[in-house]
Amino acid sequence: MMMYKGILASTCCLAALLAMPAQAQVTTDQDAATQIGDPVASAKLAADRARDDSVTADKSQDIIVTGTRIARPNNRSAAPITTVTVAEIAAQGATTIEEVMNRLPQVQANAEQNYADSDGRQRIKLRSLGFERTLTLVDGLRLGIQNGMDVSLIPNELVERIDVLSGGASSVYGSDAVAGVVNFVLKKDFNGIALTGNYSFFNHDNRANPVTEAAGRAFFPAKQGWTNDGGRANLTLTAGKTFLDGAVSLSGYLNYRQSDQVNLGDRSLSACEVTQTIATGVLNCTRSTYTQAGTIVPGGIGVGSTLVNDPSGSGRFVPYNSGPGTSTNPFDELAFQRPFNRLNTGAFLNARISSDIELYSTAMFYRDRSFNTLPNRVYSYSAYGAPAYQTNCDNPFLSASQRTTLCGTRTTGLVPLDVRYRFDALPLVETGFENRGVRVAGGLRGKVLDDAWRYDIAGVYSMMRAKTIYPSQPDYDRVNRSLNVVNVNGTPTCASVVSGADRACVPFNAFIPGNSNLALNDYLFTSTDGSQNSTSLMWQALAVLNGDLGKYGITSPLAEQGVAVAFASEFRAELYKSSADAQFRASNGGTDARFTQNVVESNVEVQAPLIEHKPYTDLLQVNGGYRVSKYNRLNGTFNTWKVEGIWAPIADIGFRTSFNKAQRAPTVIEADQASNVNYTTTGPNDPCASTRDPNSSNPNVRVAPTASIEQCRRTGLPDNLYGSATLDCSALNTGCTVRNGGFNLKPETAYTKTFGVILRPRFIRGLTVSADRFIINLNDSINFFQVNDFLNGCLTTGLQYYCRGIVRNPGTYTLNSAPGGNPATGYYARGTSNSYKSQSHGWDFQGQYTLGLAGAGSLDTSFNGTLTTRVGSQDTPDATPRNCVGYYGPGCGESMPRWSHGLRTTWTSADKVASVSLNWRHISGMTISYNAPADTGIPANTAQFRRFYTGVPAYDYIDLSTGFDIAKRFSLRVSVNNLFDRDPPLLPDSRNVLGLLRSNTLFRYDLLGRQIVVGASARF
């Protein structure tokens, strides 16, 4: 119901626009502005330029039109284009391109700066169809290797506009343009010096909620009250100059961006990771045995009870999870907003060599550094696959009570134990990420043969290097030596110091709470666990020749413009390589990899206006395109094509349609993911195992499996082992083993269609609206399958397609194996594989309206909304097709809401000095996939049906921005995003069951609360 209310409200807004009096409006002569193919997008750009005299079109020779290589005046697109303008980016005050794109309802939201497990690279995925099916361009040329580049290479301040083309475009751009195209058009023609900067922070009220209640029951701290944090800074210097009477233009920029860390523990909604008791809805915090007080297991795992040093310092052991300080929140120090610092720089050169030849070049460079924080811990001996630690019974750190618990009546000798200690008073451990990228593009373009033909010969070199530096880990042998401590003249001393075996040893008092010995920390943490590196390279060479055949009389007798054609040939070479040092390989296995591929392609496009400006038809035009591609890694060739039509019976109304066949070959990165096998211990616990009750101090009290015995049979488990403790991976203080990769791949094919209508009523001047239906059907889709995709699919359907991802050890039927040994059994599978079909269907609605207020200025209103009717897949021919629209969770991931929109209204004063912009964002409600009805095709799981926290309500956000422009040289802007500081939705089990975030929520929402942005710029 809430979703339909949102659509109704949006429809009312559009109806109100239509009802506004015509005599009060100003005329925006869109035809005199730059045409970029889509009438609504062109109207938005014209309104931007009318409001701000400093916003000018790129003066380079060629107009960049997204979706075609044909360059001609008044280009009309048969596929809808959504445009983000300079004014929208400025009003938002965004620090990263990712933040800008997340506002679009066509985009599946992503937040790499809010995801502790990411490497910080920012990519775009349209229509919930994945990063790999969204082709990213810069000025009409590829950004770089698909899914290997980072859009943060592009600084916000240098973006003139962002075009989002819906539907397939492989016949124009080649592989990967399946869900659509995102084209970043940059400002390249700058004269003078400009300094632009903004600073933002979050002003949030941490309110009491069910998570803080659960944290209270777990004795975990939970922040409440007002906080100001998460500062972000963005500073850009741009300079340019023209020479030789404007024949040569040279400009450059330097941009610095920085972000402060916000921890999960800094928000009340993520005070702890919560799981839900299905029967009662009660929320419980995930707990860890790595405590600040120090956890001790006498005799080792499975022998003694799990005990904790009394947090009060009494010198005795108390049961784990028996009171404040006896268990720990494992994720409180993880980043909710990742800290980063990023440096971007670049230059643009345009040189008019003659009236028919222009040289152009673009060079962009960036370096991004960020890190994820982890608690500083001494790990259990089980993490090393080694024997139990040992301590001596005459250890001077032991109290009498502790000695009795560990040693009984013994007073000397060594006894086994396990130690898990968290050093909260010492610096956090960091996983570091460094991304470096360069993109250089350039070429020659011009006109020949009496200006009938245009040519463009271009080349692109793109490279990104990513390095991950894994955190220092305690050395097992040093931990063991530091626990063997003797009394030397009243001073606790390592026995290895006395014997001379290790004179650097620092004694470890593991038997007091809150140990903060920095010297001990420095001794135990000897080196990094290793580093991993990857490099993505792309070389592209492109030659385009397009001509106006009307110059030769090839024109429809009923049209004014002639037939236009474009011929293009392209060569791309791609390389991806990864490597790691010996320490990483020892811990994680795997081998270095190097993959290459190249492709040769040729294509042709035709635009044929058949009827123009006649009493019975204002425009009738057909377009076509065909491309042939040859990949060196694939047998034979494959072809893609498009057939399009535009019909406007009168100037007020137009219809458009586009049919495309798009194909996508596996990227070199996907080939790496598929064939480069490695193992980790990050998998979920076996759902067929019994687990220790976290609410009981008795280790023998266990919780029943989360899966039924029937479901466990589907995973290959015999009935007699159902509920066995031997299956419990959590008893080893790790996850179950995961095999990454090992699947064969083949290309995928998509058939995409769009049908639309455009309205530009003459009786309401300045109004342009459009509605477009998009249908994307993808066969043999290449998808990345998480462990939970295989696991939940197997449990609910029993199909071999899913159950192939669960490979038990023979005899024991466990799912844990030593990762360094490249095991053949005992793991979950994870990686890139072909599935059967994927689909994305829906409607896009756009509108732009300019209303003059005479001496009071003007109002501009823009609208962008999407009604998604189908997002889902059919993994095998015998599986039921699923529709995940409006559902999230197992089988659907984050999916897409049924309806979302953005409605922005901007008032500008008559002198164009002041402006106020109000933006309304709406997201319709969503439901957990466990509760999906059978007609959705989402696999049923009646055992997990939820009666509490069943979904997410509809969300509305209001953003306010004010701006002042003084003498066209100095501007000031203050913006408030999420004006009413609305919390994101609460999703219990968001990670361990749903495979989403540890922060108990979804990416799509404003995760950190109200954001205040202050920006200024000066032009000289």
Side-chain angles (χ1 to χ4, degrees), residues 630-844:
K630 170 60 180 174
Y631 279 77
N632 68 320
R633 295 191 315 174
L634 303 175
N635 295 324
T637 61
F638 66 78
N639 60 79
T640 54
W641 47 260
K642 71 173 181 178
V643 178
E644 300 177 331
I646 303 172
W647 176 47
I650 57 176
D652 304 58
I653 184 171
F655 301 93
R656 58 189 176 190
T657 184
S658 177
F659 298 84
N660 288 267
K661 176 191 176 186
Q663 280 195 295
R664 187 175 77 85
T667 67
V668 290
I669 295 177
E670 287 172 330
D672 183 16
Q673 291 173 337
S675 58
N676 186 22
V677 179
N678 62 82
Y679 296 83
T680 62
T681 55
T682 58
N685 201 12
D686 192 331
C688 304
S690 63
T691 57
R692 180 174 171 175
D693 187 351
N695 298 313
S696 173
S697 59
N698 186 343
N700 297 318
V701 177
R702 304 188 68 81
V703 177
T706 58
S708 68
I709 190 170
E710 180 182 359
Q711 290 175 323
C712 290
R713 290 178 189 138
R714 296 169 183 165
T715 71
L717 185 74
D719 288 358
N720 66 307
L721 288 179
Y722 177 72
S724 172
T726 62
L727 305 175
D728 183 11
C729 295
S730 67
L732 304 175
N733 290 289
T734 65
C736 290
T737 303
V738 176
R739 186 200 72 183
N740 300 279
F743 300 94
N744 294 319
L745 294 178
K746 59 183 178 181
E748 60 185 26
T749 302
Y751 294 93
T752 72
K753 309 177 187 69
T754 61
F755 310 90
V757 59
I758 306 109
L759 301 176
R760 295 180 62 191
R762 280 170 285 189
F763 60 90
I764 309 180
R765 298 297 297 271
L767 174 67
T768 308
V769 296
S770 65
D772 292 272
R773 171 72 165 163
F774 64 88
I775 299 173
I776 303 172
N777 294 321
L778 185 65
N779 300 327
D780 298 320
S781 59
I782 301 171
N783 293 326
F784 189 86
F785 290 82
Q786 298 287 359
V787 168
N788 280 334
D789 295 327
F790 287 122
L791 177 59
N792 293 321
C794 181
L795 293 175
T796 54
T797 70
L799 294 173
Q800 178 55 32
Y801 179 83
Y802 300 113
C803 295
R804 62 180 171 147
I806 305 172
V807 183
R808 295 186 178 277
N809 280 316
T812 63
Y813 295 92
T814 57
L815 289 168
N816 57 281
S817 301
N822 294 325
T825 59
Y827 56 77
Y828 291 112
R830 176 178 178 265
T832 303
S833 176
N834 288 100
S835 61
Y836 183 51
K837 291 183 178 180
S838 294
Q839 295 177 316
S840 183
H841 300 171
W843 291 85
D844 283 334

Side-chain angles (χ1 to χ4, degrees), residues 258 315 412 504 651 753 994 999:
Q258 179 267 337
T412 59
K753 309 177 187 69
L994 305 183
S999 52

Side-chain angles (χ1 to χ4, degrees), residues 44 46-53 85 87-88 848 858 860 906-908 912 915 968:
K44 285 182 68 175
D48 251 24
R49 290 164 186 155
R51 286 196 306 268
D52 186 350
D53 295 335
T85 67
E88 290 176 292
Q848 174 66 33
S858 64
D860 287 305
T906 302
W907 170 81
T908 306
K912 301 181 183 179
S915 66
K968 306 302 177 187

Side-chain angles (χ1 to χ4, degrees), residues 397-408:
F397 291 136
L398 289 172
S399 69
S401 171
Q402 291 170 330
R403 182 175 292 107
T404 300
T405 301
L406 291 173
C407 302

Side-chain angles (χ1 to χ4, degrees), residues 323-341:
T326 60
S327 63
T328 303
N329 180 351
F331 306 124
D332 55 341
E333 300 288 0
L334 268 66
F336 206 157
Q337 174 177 281
R338 292 158 56 98
F340 71 84
N341 65 77

